[in-house]
Amino acid sequence: MRLATLRLDRGTAAVRVDTDTATVINGFADLSDLLADPEWEALARAASGDRIPLAGADYAPVVPRPGKIVCVGLNYATHIREMGRDLPQHPTLFAKFADALTGPYDDVIVPGYAAGELDWEAELAFVIGRRAYQVAEAEAAEYIAGYSVMNDYTMRDYQYRTLQWDQGKNFEKTSGFGPVLVTDYTPDTRITAALDGELMQEANTADLVFGPEALVEYISHIVTLRPGDVIITGTTGGVGHARKPPRHIRDGETVEVTIEGIGSVRNTTVVR
């Protein structure tokens, strides 16, 4: 099943995405709202609200109001090696704020003072569907609602001003998220990032050092994960910062992140 949050004339709505149309899940303004209901999956399957043509649909961030966004750094072996690091024994975690999210096809507006070292990061994200605290890895799949695509724009000059990465990962509305939440996806497909059509990153989502179940176990032993929380699993090799010479995103260029079996996020950069 595929779910999304669409922008409509009257606001936003949680929808089930069918072949050519989306069916409104009545009573829920977005997927953040829907996932808070313990019966969210049955409600989505039984939805019978208005049908919205998908052609030209305006997608909001798939989960627009997560209580927590936990990011994982250095989680693909190729990326770890290109950054000159050893494989980690434990996940590297940092936070992203909900204000950093934007729609999967929205322009990303970047302030001129932050546009010097813009970089792309293709990432698989997953969303929590049940309250999870001290969950074992063997049971963790039961707590995952589904998977989506994240286009994690990174301001490298801000990121490396200090040892803490958050400041380079949280610029307002710079992380394209969506377009859909796929409830039956299994990580083992191609993930890519392209800059104006030129392939920059390519890997398989099964190649994570710490997979989704391991991340649920690790994070849930630190803090309670709640329905609608988002975990972003890290990026693969091929980022611009590690290239020789470095390559950065310029004004007007489009980053497209694609995960086979889920979909694509396309964001055009606008520097102001």
Side-chain angles (χ1 to χ4, degrees), residues 132-137 215-224:
Y133 183 62
Q134 297 182 351
V135 171
E137 181 175 352
L215 293 172
V216 169
E217 178 182 58
Y218 187 77
I219 298 167
S220 74
H221 279 75
I222 300 170
V223 65
T224 299

Side-chain angles (χ1 to χ4, degrees), residues 63-191:
V63 179
R65 297 179 290 110
K68 290 185 287 294
I69 304 174
V70 182
C71 303
V72 184
L74 303 173
N75 201 23
Y76 282 87
T78 52
H79 182 48
I80 294 168
R81 293 191 179 101
E82 78 175 355
M83 301 301 277
R85 301 172 185 263
D86 296 327
L87 294 181
Q89 292 184 313
H90 306 289
T92 297
L93 305 180
F94 59 96
K96 187 184 285 291
F97 308 131
D99 288 336
L101 301 178
T102 195
Y105 309 122
D106 293 347
D107 288 348
V108 166
I109 311 301
V110 178
Y113 56 79
E117 297 182 12
L118 288 178
D119 207 346
W120 55 85
E121 290 196 1
E123 307 215 16
L124 172 70
F126 65 91
V127 180
I128 299 299
R130 294 172 51 193
R131 181 184 181 277
Y133 183 62
Q134 297 182 351
V135 171
E137 181 175 352
E139 300 171 355
E142 301 173 13
Y143 294 82
I144 298 173
Y147 293 81
S148 194
V149 181
M150 183 70 70
N151 180 10
D152 185 22
Y153 269 64
T154 301
M155 287 64 176
R156 296 293 184 197
D157 45 354
Y158 273 79
Q159 179 183 3
Y160 294 122
R161 285 182 174 185
T162 71
L163 296 177
Q164 303 302 316
W165 295 351
D166 295 40
Q167 58 200 358
K169 299 284 190 172
N170 274 294
F171 273 75
E172 187 91 4
K173 297 185 184 305
T174 57
S175 297
F177 185 25
V180 294
L181 183 72
V182 180
T183 62
D184 55 355
Y185 173 81
T186 300
D188 189 12
T189 65
R190 186 170 179 252
I191 178 172

